Amino acid sequence: MQNKLTITPSQTIALLSLCIATEAYSYAPSKMADLSGQDTWIAIVVAIMFGMLLLSYYAWLAKKFPTQTLIQYTKTLLGPFVGRVIGALYVLYFMLISSLYICRISVGFQMTFLPHTPVFVLIVMTLTFCVYSALQGYNAVARLGVLAAFLLFGVNNIFLTASVISDINAANYLPFLGSSLGDIGTSSIYYLFPHSQFIFLTMLYPFIQKQRKIGSYITWRTTLVVFVASFLNLATVGLFSARQLAMLHYPPVELSRMVEFGDFFERMDVLFVTFYGAGMFIAIGTVFTVFISSLNQLMERKNGYRGLLLPASVLLLLLSLILFRSEKQMVQFIFGQGIWIAICFQLILPGLLGIVFLIRKERLCNGQNG
Amino acid sequence: MGNPMAGDHFQYEDAPVSQTLKDNISLLKQLYFLHADDLNIQSLDFNCALAYLKELIDPAIINENVLPAIARQAEGVRDTQKPLMLEGIRYADSMRDISLSILNGDIAFFVEGQSRCQLIPSSKVSKRSLNEPSGEPTLRGSKVGFVEDISTNIALIRQRLKTPRLKLRKIEIGTLTRTSVAFLYIESVADASLVETGWMRLQSLNAIALQAEQQLFEAIQKHDHKYSLFPLLDVTERPDRIVGNLLKGHIAILVDGTPFAIIGPVQLLTLIQSPEDYHFSPYLGSFIRLLRLLAIFISLLLPSLYIALTSFHQEMLPTKLALSIQQGRVSVPFPSIMEAVFMEGAFEILREAGLRLPKMLSSTTSIVGGLIIGEAVVKAGIISPQMVIVVAITALSSFIIPSYNLSVALRLFRFMFIILTGFFGAFGLMWGIMMLSMHLVGLRSLGEPYLDPIAPIRKNGFYDTIIRAPFSWLLSLAKKNS
C-alpha cells in the first residue's frame, strides 16, 4: 500500500512541471514581448536552460539531506536560531506564493467570466480545494497531477501547437538577437523567477520514492516537460508579431481561439481553458500543501498539519484580499517586487546554503558519522 | 431491537453435558429454550431422548432414518452408548453448542450415562429455484443468479471453479442471527495481504444481527472511507461475475439469506464492466465499455454543462447552436438552473415511482411521466425542449452504468454540479470536478487505489478496464504477472 505522503519520481516531475509551466501562460509572454520583441523565444529557451541548472543545483543540495526538507536542513546548516529565521522567511515566501496562485485563478475567473460574483467567494472556494488537497496528502495531489500534466501538456498543448504550426510566420522570430542581451536576460528573468517554483523540489525531496533516480532523472525530464509546455508560448511568438503579443492579455488563449474545426467547432479555447484550469488547481493544491507542511516543520509539530489548516487558511484569505485586490495590482507585484523576492528565495538564499554546506562539509559529515 | 451492528449483549451461558439425561433436558428447557414452544423433546424407551425444533427439521429424517437407526442400535448391539450409524453425525459436550446446533436445524440425541451428545444434521431449508438475476440481466452468457441459500451459492461457484486453490473460510456473524458468511478467494491468485485485510475486517465485525449484505458492505467499506458516496465494494447476484473477479485476484463474500454477494477490491473502472463484455468480440466489448465511460461523464456533467453554456458562457457555443437554444428558451420564464432542478427532480420521482409500482403499472408511469408531462411542460412554456432532451439523454446514460450503487452516487453528484454551475458557471463546474477528482484519487478499496489504473497510471491495467483486450493478451498478461 502506498503511503499517503510518498510520491514517485514521475509524480514529482508532474507536480514540478505544473507548478512551473501553468503560471507562465498568463502574463509572461506579453510582458516579455514588450521587452525583448521578436527575441522572446530566445528568452524562453534561455530561461528553460537556466531553470535546468537551477533544478540540478536543488537536487544536489537536497541529496545532501535526503530525509529533510529545506526548512529542516537550514537548521542543520545554519544552527537553530539562524536556521529557524531563514526557515520562517521561506514559510512566508511559500505563503505569498500560495496567495498569488489562489488570487490568480480567482481574480482571473472573476474578471473573465463572473464579474458580478464577489472575488471573496471565489477565493474561499479555491482555498477549500487547497485545504482538501492538503488533507489528501502529497500522494493524492501527485497522482492527480500526473493526469492533469498529461492532459494539459501531452494532449492539449501539442494538439494546439500542431494545429497552428502552418500559420506560424517564421519572420516573426527574426531578426536574430535584434534586442540587446540585457533585454533578453531580463526577459528570461521575467519568465523564470516569478512563476517557476523549482525550489519546491527541496520541499518534496524527502517524500520521493527511489531517491537514487532523483538527480539527472528528474532534472532532464522536468526540463523536457517544461519545454513541451512552453511550445505554446514559443508558438505565440511566431503566430503574432512582437507588437501584437505585447498587447494580448492571455496569448495562449488567443492562440487556441484560432483553431477551428469546420463551421461547428469554432471555440477551441474552451478546451484550453478547461485543461489549464485543471492544471492550475493542481498547482495551487501543491503550493498550498508545500506551504502548510513547511509551517508544520518550522513549528516542529509531531501530529501533522491538520490542526494548522484552518488558521493558515484564514490567514491566506486575509492576505489574498489585502494584497491582490485586482489583476493590475497582481501584475504589478509579479513583475515588480515579486521578481526580487523570487530571486532572493530561489537563487541567493539557496546559493548561500550551498556555500555554507561546502564550508561546513567536513564537520557535518563527522557529525553525521559520530 | 436496537442497532443490529452494536456489540454483543447476548452472551449465552455455557454448561457441560451431564451424564443424567433428565438434567440435560431440564437445562435445555430452562436455560436455552424457556418459552420456546416449538422445542420438541422426544423421550425414547432406551434411556435416551431427541431434542429439536420441529419447524426447522425434516420429519421424514426422524421417522425414516433417526428412529430406525436408534432401534437398530438398541436391538442389535444392545448398546445405545455407541454412535448412531448415520451420515454427518457430530459430538458436542457443551450445552451451549448443542443449543446453537438445534437452532441451526440439527437433532440432539442425549443418552443416559453419556457426557456427550450426538448431533444429527436434518435441517429443512426452503429454497427457491435458480433464476436469472433481475437486477443484472445480460444478452449473452450465463442466465443463473444466486439464491438466498448460501450452500447453493457456494455450489454455484465451486461448479465453475474446480480447483482446490479456491479457498473458502466460514464465519458466523450476529450473536442473535448467527448468519453464515463465506469468504472466498483463490490462493496464489489473490494477493496474500489483500486476503488478510479482507478477512480481518470481516472478523472484526461485532454485530447482534446480520440480515443484509449491506451491513457487511458498510462495515468493511468504513475502513477505507466512512463517508464516501462512491461504492468501494461491489455487489452482484451473478456467479459468473464472482468467478471472474476471483480469477482476477479479488475476494468475494457470500451471506446466508441474501442472493447478493460482495466483491472487493473494486475500482471505478471495474464498476463499468459487465460479464457479457467477455461474450462479445474484443472490439464490441471495448466499444461498449468506452460507451459506458462516456455515459458516466454525460450522466454526471451534461445538465451542468448545459447550464454553464446557456447561462454564463453563451459565447462558447457555436453560433448556430446558440441561436437554436435561444429560440427554444424564448418563452421560458425560469433560468436554466431552475429548469434543470425541476426536470431532474421530476425524473427522480418518476424513477422511484416506477421502481415501487407493480411491473404492469410502471410502464404506464413511464408513459405518463416521460411523454405526457414532458410534452405538456414544453407546450406550457415552463421548460425548454432542449432541457427535455438534455434530461432524457442524462437519464438514458445513467441507465447504461451496470453498477446501481455507482449510478446512485452519480445522480447525487449531478445535483451538486447543477447547483455549483448554476451559481458559479464554468468556475463552479471546474471546482466541482477538481474536488471530485481529488476525492476519487484519495479513495481506496480494501487498501487498493480506487482510480487504478488511471491514477496511479499502470499501463497493463488498461487491457481489461477501459478496453476489453483479446483473451490471448489477457492470458499472456496473467502469465507475466504470475
Side-chain angles (χ1 to χ4, degrees):
Chain A
M1 197 187 295
Q2 272 190 307
N3 189 300
K4 206 174 174 182
L5 286 174
T6 58
I7 52 177
T8 63
S10 315
Q11 289 168 346
T12 314
I13 294 165
L15 285 187
L16 284 173
S17 318
L18 285 170
C19 289
I20 293 164
T22 48
E23 287 293 292
Y25 288 136
S26 43
Y27 311 121
S30 4
K31 191 80 183 168
M32 290 166 76
D34 195 27
L35 196 69
S36 53
Q38 74 286 350
D39 288 325
T40 299
W41 69 275
I42 303 174
I44 292 174
V45 174
V46 170
I48 292 170
M49 292 302 141
F50 191 74
M52 193 175 83
L53 290 178
L54 215 53
L55 207 55
S56 309
Y57 172 71
Y58 293 143
W60 171 82
L61 194 62
K63 260 185 178 176
K64 306 300 169 198
F65 306 92
T67 56
Q68 294 180 332
T69 65
L70 178 71
I71 303 294
Q72 290 162 328
Y73 62 71
T74 45
K75 279 180 254 174
T76 316
L77 276 173
L78 306 171
F81 180 72
V82 182
R84 206 178 283 259
V85 171
I86 300 291
L89 289 174
Y90 265 107
V91 172
L92 288 175
Y93 174 65
F94 293 144
M95 189 166 79
L96 187 70
I97 298 284
S98 306
S99 170
L100 198 62
Y101 273 58
I102 289 167
C103 284
R104 192 170 295 191
I105 196 163
S106 309
V107 173
F109 263 92
Q110 195 230 9
M111 286 192 61
T112 323
F113 299 115
L114 301 161
H116 304 298
T117 310
V119 74
F120 165 80
V121 178
L122 303 183
I123 291 177
V124 169
M125 283 174 80
T126 314
L127 262 172
T128 313
F129 176 79
C130 292
V131 171
Y132 193 52
S133 304
L135 281 172
Q136 294 286 50
Y138 278 131
N139 185 268
V141 180
R143 278 191 277 152
L144 203 55
V146 173
L147 270 183
F150 173 74
L151 290 173
L152 180 62
F153 306 139
V155 178
N156 180 61
N157 284 13
I158 292 179
F159 165 74
L160 285 180
T161 314
S163 304
V164 296
I165 210 154
S166 56
D167 298 324
I168 288 175
N169 183 1
N172 285 339
Y173 295 106
L174 296 172
F176 185 69
L177 287 179
S179 314
S180 70
L181 285 177
D183 285 345
I184 293 172
T186 315
S187 190
S188 297
I189 289 170
Y190 281 172
Y191 196 72
L192 185 69
F193 282 109
H195 311 92
S196 312
Q197 306 310 325
F198 292 102
I199 192 79
F200 285 171
L201 180 61
T202 58
M203 291 300 295
L204 296 175
Y205 191 85
F207 306 104
I208 304 172
Q209 303 162 352
K210 301 176 191 164
Q211 289 188 343
R212 62 185 167 75
K213 278 186 171 183
I214 217 71
S216 56
Y217 182 89
I218 285 190
T219 308
W220 278 106
R221 277 165 181 75
T222 308
T223 310
L224 185 71
V225 176
V226 172
F227 190 67
V228 171
S230 297
F231 279 176
L232 218 54
N233 283 334
L234 289 169
T236 53
V237 181
L239 207 58
F240 311 106
S241 68
R243 190 174 296 172
Q244 273 181 312
L245 191 59
M247 287 188 290
L248 292 175
H249 206 57
Y250 293 108
V253 177
E254 298 302 329
L255 178 145
S256 54
R257 279 187 185 147
M258 296 178 73
V259 182
E260 276 183 21
F261 277 101
D263 291 339
F264 190 74
F265 293 107
E266 35 188 46
R267 294 298 300 266
M268 291 306 288
D269 51 325
V270 181
L271 196 72
F272 173 79
V273 171
T274 307
F275 291 140
Y276 174 69
M280 275 293 287
F281 267 110
I282 299 296
I284 293 167
T286 313
V287 174
F288 182 81
T289 312
V290 165
F291 157 59
I292 204 79
S293 61
S294 67
L295 183 62
N296 192 55
Q297 287 151 14
L298 183 75
M299 294 170 80
E300 293 176 357
R301 283 163 52 94
K302 296 271 186 308
N303 302 330
Y305 51 64
R306 198 177 266 257
L308 293 173
L309 286 170
L310 187 65
S313 308
V314 173
L315 206 64
L316 260 180
L317 177 65
L318 294 174
L319 188 74
S320 308
L321 289 173
I322 294 165
L323 275 185
F324 311 114
R325 270 173 290 181
S326 68
E327 195 170 40
K328 195 180 165 192
Q329 264 186 328
M330 210 155 54
V331 175
Q332 273 175 353
F333 177 82
I334 291 170
F335 297 106
Q337 306 99 304
I339 287 183
W340 296 109
I341 294 171
I343 288 175
C344 177
F345 283 95
Q346 296 205 52
L347 194 66
I348 299 171
L349 279 177
L352 285 174
L353 288 176
I355 293 167
V356 174
F357 173 79
L358 290 174
I359 295 168
R360 300 187 65 191
K361 191 176 174 184
E362 271 188 32
R363 193 184 293 178
L364 284 167
C365 290
N366 290 340
Q368 275 172 2
N369 291 337
Chain B
M1 193 174 67
N3 176 11
M5 300 304 285
D8 185 355
H9 304 296
F10 296 88
Q11 291 292 349
Y12 297 92
E13 282 181 47
D14 200 4
V17 175
S18 161
Q19 289 199 340
T20 316
L21 178 63
K22 205 176 152 190
D23 287 351
N24 288 333
I25 299 298
S26 136
L27 197 65
L28 209 58
K29 278 183 170 174
Q30 298 303 319
L31 186 61
Y32 298 105
F33 293 99
L34 186 66
H35 303 308
D37 294 342
D38 55 344
L39 177 76
N40 203 21
I41 306 286
Q42 195 172 343
S43 298
L44 302 171
D45 292 342
F46 318 104
N47 274 337
C48 53
L50 295 171
Y52 53 85
L53 291 168
K54 55 188 170 194
E55 311 303 337
L56 281 185
I57 61 136
D58 186 355
I61 292 179
I62 292 201
N63 295 330
E64 290 165 21
N65 298 351
V66 180
L67 292 178
I70 296 170
R72 273 199 306 275
Q73 193 87 346
E75 285 167 9
V77 289
R78 301 266 168 212
D79 187 4
T80 46
Q81 302 288 327
K82 291 201 170 176
L84 295 175
M85 298 296 283
L86 284 170
E87 201 182 315
I89 210 144
R90 300 186 327 272
Y91 283 102
D93 49 16
S94 137
M95 289 303 285
R96 179 180 170 275
D97 292 349
I98 292 165
S99 66
L100 292 176
S101 289
I102 291 173
L103 288 166
N104 274 333
D106 288 347
I107 300 169
F109 179 48
F110 292 98
V111 179
E112 177 71 30
Q114 214 175 55
S115 57
R116 293 191 305 175
C117 165
Q118 295 177 51
L119 296 168
I120 306 154
S122 70
S123 73
K124 173 191 73 177
V125 181
S126 38
K127 298 174 186 174
R128 72 173 163 94
S129 57
L130 301 177
N131 291 318
E132 187 178 6
S134 55
E136 296 172 86
T138 53
L139 281 176
R140 283 171 64 176
S142 169
K143 300 285 180 189
V144 174
F146 284 134
V147 290
E148 284 74 10
D149 176 45
I150 193 168
S151 311
T152 311
N153 296 343
I154 292 171
L156 286 171
I157 295 170
R158 285 269 187 212
Q159 280 165 10
R160 288 165 170 80
L161 272 174
K162 297 184 182 81
T163 167
R165 281 160 67 185
L166 172 64
K167 303 296 174 192
L168 190 149
R169 299 182 192 178
K170 273 197 162 183
I171 187 172
E172 279 186 348
I173 296 177
T175 45
L176 281 184
T177 55
R178 304 198 68 79
T179 313
S180 287
V181 174
F183 179 86
L184 294 99
Y185 63 95
I186 302 178
E187 191 181 47
S188 75
V189 175
D191 186 55
S193 64
L194 171 74
V195 171
E196 282 319 303
T197 306
W199 180 240
M200 276 171 64
R201 288 187 189 181
L202 198 59
Q203 280 183 311
S204 67
L205 189 63
N206 186 14
I208 295 170
L210 177 65
Q211 289 175 294
E213 81 293 336
Q214 185 62 22
Q215 284 174 266
L216 272 187
F217 191 98
E218 286 177 20
I220 296 172
Q221 177 169 304
K222 75 174 182 193
H223 293 269
D224 290 309
H225 202 293
K226 268 186 193 171
Y227 309 111
S228 182
L229 283 174
F230 283 89
L232 302 181
L233 296 164
D234 200 8
V235 171
T236 182
E237 44 182 333
R238 298 188 64 94
D240 53 348
R241 191 135 178 249
I242 290 283
V243 170
N245 276 277
L246 288 172
L247 287 168
K248 284 180 190 169
H250 296 177
I251 58 153
I253 298 168
L254 304 177
V255 182
D256 198 23
T258 166
F260 295 98
I262 297 171
I263 307 166
V266 293
Q267 280 78 40
L268 185 70
L269 289 181
T270 58
L271 292 174
I272 61 164
Q273 294 175 4
S274 163
E276 68 184 344
D277 297 348
Y278 300 100
H279 293 280
F280 295 122
S281 73
Y283 306 109
L284 191 55
S286 302
F287 172 73
I288 294 171
R289 281 189 184 175
L290 288 170
L291 198 69
R292 289 191 200 120
L293 196 63
L294 180 70
I296 286 184
F297 285 105
I298 292 175
S299 164
L300 191 63
L301 299 175
L302 188 64
S304 36
L305 267 175
Y306 177 79
I307 294 169
L309 290 173
T310 51
S311 300
F312 289 89
H313 318 292
Q314 295 90 342
E315 75 282 357
M316 300 270 182
L317 285 168
T319 318
K320 284 178 189 169
L321 184 64
L323 287 172
S324 161
I325 289 175
Q326 214 46 50
Q327 273 174 358
R329 284 189 48 76
V330 167
S331 61
V332 178
F334 307 116
S336 300
I337 180 176
M338 294 269 287
E339 273 187 283
V341 170
F342 174 78
M343 280 305 283
E344 287 289 342
F347 177 73
E348 290 301 327
I349 291 167
L350 278 172
R351 192 202 300 248
E352 275 306 302
L355 280 175
R356 307 285 159 243
L357 282 169
K359 268 189 179 174
M360 283 185 299
L361 284 177
S362 64
S363 56
T364 318
T365 320
S366 313
I367 294 164
V368 171
L371 297 177
I372 302 175
I373 296 181
E375 203 183 332
V377 288
V378 171
K379 274 190 178 168
I382 298 171
I383 302 289
S384 66
Q386 286 86 350
M387 182 53 85
V388 175
I389 295 168
V390 165
V391 172
I393 294 173
T394 309
L396 284 175
S397 301
S398 72
F399 288 131
I400 294 177
I401 301 160
S403 164
Y404 182 73
N405 284 341
L406 177 64
S407 176
V408 172
L410 294 177
R411 273 153 65 185
L412 292 173
F413 275 107
R414 188 192 307 148
F415 277 100
M416 290 185 207
F417 279 121
I418 287 174
I419 292 165
L420 272 174
T421 316
F423 282 104
F424 302 107
F427 180 82
L429 183 60
M430 192 178 292
W431 184 85
I433 291 172
M434 291 313 290
M435 286 291 276
L436 181 62
S437 308
M438 192 56 83
H439 174 68
L440 284 172
V441 101
L443 285 181
R444 286 174 185 274
S445 166
L446 289 170
E448 305 289 319
Y450 195 56
L451 278 194
D452 178 79
I454 301 172
I457 291 176
R458 194 169 53 82
K459 201 178 70 185
N460 289 343
F462 288 97
Y463 294 126
D464 195 18
T465 46
I466 291 178
I467 60 161
R468 205 284 274 167
F471 285 118
S472 56
W473 292 17
L474 298 179
L475 195 67
S476 62
L477 200 67
K479 277 182 187 168
K480 211 168 127 185
N481 288 342
S482 65

